[in-house]
Structures are given as C-alpha cells and as structure tokens.
Amino acid sequence: MEEVKELNNETNGEGISLNSDKLRNTPMGKLLFSMALPAIISMLIEALYNVIDGIYVSQWQPEAFDAFGYGRPLFMIVIAVGIGIGVGSNVFVARQLGFGNKEKANQVAKTAFVLAVAAWLLFFVLAWVLPKPFIKIYNGVSQTIVDRYMEYVPYYMMGCLFSMLSMVGSKILQATGNMRVPMISQTLGCLTNIILDPVFIFKDAKLFFFIPVKGLGMGMSGALIATLIGQFLSCAYVLGAFLFRKQDVDFFPKGLKFTFKNVKAIFNIGLPNFILNAVGSFTTIILNYILNNYDYGVTIYTAYFTCQSFVFMPIFGLTQGTMPILGYSYGANLKKRFDDCFKRSLITALCVLGAGLLAFQLFPEQIVRIFNIENQHAVELAAKSFRIISLCFIPAAFSILLITLLQSLNVGVYSMLISLLRQIGFLIPLAFLFQAIFTASPGIDMTNRFYLIFLCFPVAEILTLLIFTPIAIKKYRTIFAKRARQAEEHVTEIA
C-alpha cells in the first residue's frame, strides 16, 4: 500500500506546487473549509447583489423588475457559457495537477482564456439580433416593460467580456487551490455594483437604503452601467493576480499550443454545467410563458428566482470548493480523501438547503414584500407558491452533489443527463401537465391553479434523484476499482 502511495506522489519532473500539495495533504475538514468558505462568501455576496439590485430597480419602477424577469433567460445563457468553460477547465486543470502534469494544465488554462474571448465575440454579435424578437414571444407585455428590457439586455450582452474572463479566470485559480483571489474579485465586483446602483439609478439616492446622496437619475441604464463597472473591476483583479503574482498555472494565451483535444477536454467536462444553466434558461422561458397568463405571475416567479439565490448560491460556492478537491483526489487515486470530501459536502448542502426550506415555509410573505409588491392578493399568491417550490430544496442538495461527483470522475455525460432530465424530462412536461389537469378540474379556481403549477419543482427533483442515485453509485465504484487496478499494475511493473 505504501508503494501505491509513493506512485501517487510521483510527478513528471516539474513537481507539485504548494497549492496543489495542499489538496493532497491538508486534513479534509480544514481543506474543505478553506476551499469552500471563500467561494461561499463570494456567492452570498453575489446573492445579496441580486436581491439588492432587484429591490432598487423595483423601487424605481415596478415594470423594470418585470423586465429583469423577462430578460433573465438571456442573462443565464451568458453565465452558462462562462460557467461551462470555467468548470470544464477547472476540473481538467485540477486533475492534471493531480497527475503531476503542469504543462498540460497550463495549456488547458490558456485555451480557456481564448474560449472566453470567443464566447464574448459571439454574444456581442447576438446582442444586435436576439433580444428584441425574444421579448416578443410573450403576449401582452406592456410597452414600458419592453422599453426597460431593451435599455438593459442588449448592452449587458455586449459588455459580457469582463464577466466571462472573470468567471473563467476564477475557476482556473480555484483548480489550483487558490480560493482567496476569486472571493475578493467577486466581492469587489458585487460591492461596487451595490454601492453604485442607487447613485446611478435615482436622482435622490439612499446609499445602503439610509444614507442620502445626490444621484444621476439614469434609471435602467444606470443599473446597467453599475453592473458593467462592477464586472470590470472584478475582471481586472483576477487578471492582475495572474499578471503580478506567480500562480500554479498561466492564464494568458502567450505560448499557447492550441489543440482541439484541449478544447474537447474542456467541453467534455464543462458541457453538463453549460446545459444545467442553459436548460435553466429554457425552463425560465417556458415558465414565464405559462405564468404570463396569470396576474402577477412573472413578477412572483422573478421574486422567487431572485431570493432563492440566497439558498442555492452557497451550495454553488460549496461545489466550487469541492470540485478541485474531488478532481485532484481522483487524479491522484486518493479514494479515502475523495469519499471524505463528498460526504462532508453533502452534509453541508443538506444543512444549508434545510435552513432555506424553513425560511421559505415560515416567512414567505416577508420575503416577497421586499420587492415593493404590496397588493395583498399577489402577496398571498406568492406565499403559497414559495412554500410549494421550496419543497424541492432537500432533494436538490443530492442532485447538485451527484452532478459534482460525476463531473470530477470525468463522466460528464451522466451529469449532463441529470440536468436534462430534471429540466427537460420532468420539470417542463410536469408544468404543462399540472396546468392541464388543474385547468380541467372544475373545483380548482384560477388562483389555486396558479400556485399548484409549481408542484413541478419538487416532483421533478424527487423523480430525478430516484433514477440517478443508483447510476452514480455504480459509476463511482467502477471508476475507482479501475484506478486501483491501474495503480497496482504500475507498482507490479516497477517491482
């Protein structure tokens, strides 16, 4: 057994860096805490930004808040591409460092930079042709909402270069065990946005809701400018970390040996993450289309989607810390560390989402009122809807960690299938099915029919979990059994 450990410690002659060595030797509780906590904090700040941004915009004009809801699917597509490239490179870089192949890790990181710029160019072109026909798929949207939407969405897509580079660069750093720079970067961007939002949106602004300041009164355009400035500062900090401090890998394209093999490696791992977020965009489009037929439907769903980020963002931060540990442990054939990390992450996710479930069950009215929704009927409708949707939180903890596990084992196709099944296979069909059933039921009025549609969320999560849990367990056992045989065979050859 000691020989196997020695085998796992071998490198390609370049050595393992201090950050990478941390992934191997630091006690798991301390390692996971140090890796995940910065990402969780940054994700919480991101969630805080989402909520505060929504509060400011809704206070300026309620229709502007709805415009965010209609534009959210396009925002999610931009983020999905960035996350897909970032996570794909993150896992591959972590695994190559686990193998001891630093040069390969460098080439993948450089390739990720090129892909991020290419993605931005694509969105810059799409920004001229996509947003306007997209908003027209919804019937009966007021001209005020359309105007607010067009003031924000196209220009957000044009300026997404900073966001794209920041997301991908942060994921590369996290793969090496550097969680501090991504945390500071995201915190800097979000806090800048939170501070600038009221100044740019209102003429008479209140910083942090109570400090009077003279504002610019730019409305929706002001919210956009505040967002882009925040993203620029976040990007500058990440790029500065690569430029001015020696990192385990190099992010800039100088010296890149571009190969489609590296692109394929990134896509193979990152595609499930892209699909997870892109399918979420498609789901939002469909649900907005359904809910657009109900009074306050899109407003309530937008409020839920904004607030649930406080629950799910910490879990995504947790997986950002978990992913490089699992990827490195798999690459180095450290099964016990892999198991320990996964169990601790799952328990943490269950605790966080359990707390979120309690909050949405006990205080839904207080949550929805922060978005300037005062109509009592809308508040009651939102409260019942929130209670039903939040039933999905606990099974979602298992699904998210299963996706993380499968990605770290380089079987991204299965995590992609989980994402597809949750959204396309179950969620959307169930939403249409429940709408049809409840519409055909004479004992259910329009109000009850509205919130019962949201049963699709918990039912879809439970069905997905029942199908994929045994599949994930089988793949995990098969892959580590193969790794153990490879290690033993290598030791036998050396002997």
Side-chain angles (χ1 to χ4, degrees):
M1 193 63 189
E2 289 300 316
E3 291 175 311
V4 175
K5 291 181 180 179
E6 286 298 317
L7 168 67
N8 290 331
N9 280 314
E10 289 180 357
T11 72
N12 63 350
E14 295 175 324
I16 298 175
S17 69
L18 178 62
N19 277 335
S20 300
D21 189 56
K22 177 178 77 172
L23 296 174
R24 175 185 295 272
N25 296 319
T26 306
M28 184 53 65
K30 181 179 179 181
L31 176 62
L32 186 58
F33 183 82
S34 66
M35 292 283 286
L37 184 62
I40 290 173
I41 291 173
S42 63
M43 288 291 98
L44 280 172
I45 293 173
E46 175 76 16
L48 181 65
Y49 151 67
N50 288 335
V51 172
I52 292 180
D53 207 37
I55 292 173
Y56 280 133
V57 169
S58 65
Q59 288 179 346
W60 175 69
Q61 191 178 71
E63 290 84 356
F65 184 66
D66 286 346
F68 270 143
Y70 287 109
R72 189 179 301 278
L74 294 180
F75 306 154
M76 292 173 70
I77 288 291
V78 173
I79 295 170
V81 172
I83 291 177
I85 297 171
V87 171
S89 53
N90 172 291
V91 175
F92 201 78
V93 166
R95 186 182 303 130
Q96 292 305 315
L97 291 175
F99 290 148
N101 194 344
K102 188 175 179 180
E103 175 58 26
K104 183 71 171 178
N106 265 325
Q107 289 300 318
V108 172
K110 293 174 184 291
T111 302
F113 180 97
V114 174
L115 292 177
V117 174
W120 165 67
L121 291 173
L122 174 63
F123 283 119
F124 189 90
V125 173
L126 290 177
W128 293 91
V129 297
L130 185 59
K132 193 167 185 178
F134 180 81
I135 188 67
K136 290 186 177 181
I137 66 175
Y138 302 106
N139 296 322
V141 178
S142 71
Q143 187 59 44
T144 302
I145 293 176
V146 173
D147 291 342
R148 300 295 83 81
Y149 168 94
M150 292 301 297
E151 288 171 11
Y152 193 100
V153 175
Y155 303 103
Y156 174 89
M157 295 175 68
M158 292 180 192
C160 72
L161 173 64
F162 307 130
S163 175
M164 201 69 62
L165 288 175
S166 178
M167 281 189 285
V168 176
S170 293
K171 290 291 187 293
I172 297 292
L173 289 170
Q174 288 167 355
T176 70
N178 186 339
M179 307 300 289
R180 181 173 174 271
V181 169
M183 179 189 73
I184 295 175
S185 165
Q186 194 158 13
T187 301
L188 177 65
C190 291
L191 288 180
T192 299
N193 203 339
I194 290 171
I195 292 171
L196 293 182
D197 254 344
V199 176
F200 280 87
I201 293 173
F202 303 101
K203 288 184 178 180
D204 296 313
K206 287 188 177 181
L207 198 62
F208 302 114
F209 300 105
F210 66 90
I211 303 176
V213 294
K214 189 66 178 176
L216 299 176
M218 299 175 67
M220 200 69 164
S221 297
L224 169 73
I225 294 171
T227 296
L228 294 181
I229 292 175
Q231 291 177 352
F232 170 77
L233 292 177
S234 179
C235 176
Y237 191 85
V238 170
L239 297 184
F242 285 101
L243 187 63
F244 299 113
R245 289 188 178 183
K246 183 174 177 57
Q247 304 294 338
D248 290 353
V249 294
D250 186 10
F251 185 50
F252 294 106
K254 182 179 180 181
L256 169 65
K257 300 173 184 176
F258 188 86
T259 67
F260 285 101
K261 184 177 180 181
N262 287 339
V263 175
K264 182 181 178 182
I266 293 173
F267 282 178
N268 184 49
I269 302 167
L271 187 60
N273 273 275
F274 166 74
I275 290 176
L276 174 64
N277 290 275
V279 168
S281 171
F282 177 73
T283 301
T284 302
I285 294 172
I286 299 299
L287 287 175
N288 277 345
Y289 186 82
I290 294 173
L291 298 173
N292 192 51
N293 299 312
Y294 298 85
D295 292 338
Y296 305 103
V298 173
T299 302
I300 290 171
Y301 185 55
T302 303
Y304 163 76
F305 208 97
T306 303
C307 288
Q308 60 90 35
S309 63
F310 259 119
V311 181
F312 283 93
M313 282 293 192
I315 306 305
F316 298 144
L318 174 68
T319 60
Q320 286 179 23
T322 301
M323 186 77 76
I325 301 174
L326 294 179
Y328 184 93
S329 299
Y330 164 65
N333 196 27
L334 303 172
K335 183 176 182 295
K336 287 185 177 180
R337 286 182 69 78
F338 187 100
D339 294 347
D340 193 14
C341 177
F342 180 79
K343 290 175 183 177
R344 291 173 185 267
S345 299
L346 179 58
I347 292 171
T348 304
L350 288 171
C351 290
V352 172
L353 287 170
L357 174 62
L358 287 176
F360 272 77
Q361 293 294 320
L362 298 176
F363 311 110
E365 293 189 8
Q366 290 83 348
I367 293 173
V368 74
R369 286 186 185 276
I370 67 175
F371 295 108
N372 203 30
I373 300 174
E374 297 297 336
N375 181 281
Q376 187 57 35
H377 173 65
V379 171
E380 291 175 358
L381 203 61
K384 293 179 180 179
S385 302
F386 282 17
R387 288 191 175 104
I388 291 175
I389 301 175
S390 61
L391 295 176
C392 78
F393 288 178
I394 297 300
F398 289 94
S399 296
I400 292 170
L401 265 295
L402 283 181
I403 289 172
T404 304
L405 179 143
L406 291 167
Q407 288 170 343
S408 68
L409 294 175
N410 199 25
V411 283
V413 64
Y414 287 95
S415 53
M416 178 178 66
L417 289 174
I418 292 178
S419 304
L420 286 173
L421 194 62
R422 290 170 71 201
Q423 308 282 346
I424 303 296
F426 288 138
L427 188 65
I428 295 301
L430 285 171
F432 280 111
L433 177 63
F434 290 158
Q435 182 190 38
I437 292 174
F438 299 137
T439 300
S441 301
I444 301 178
D445 59 23
M446 189 76 168
T447 299
N448 290 325
R449 189 186 311 153
F450 168 76
Y451 68 78
L452 286 175
I453 292 173
F454 290 116
L455 281 171
C456 64
F457 282 91
V459 174
E461 290 288 358
I462 292 170
L463 290 175
T464 303
L465 199 59
L466 291 174
I467 292 173
F468 270 95
T469 298
I471 295 175
I473 292 172
K474 182 177 179 180
K475 295 301 296 184
Y476 155 80
R477 290 174 176 171
T478 301
I479 288 171
F480 267 105
K482 181 178 179 180
R483 290 288 286 131
R485 287 195 301 270
Q486 290 172 341
E488 292 294 344
E489 288 170 3
H490 191 78
V491 169
T492 302
E493 290 175 6
I494 293 175

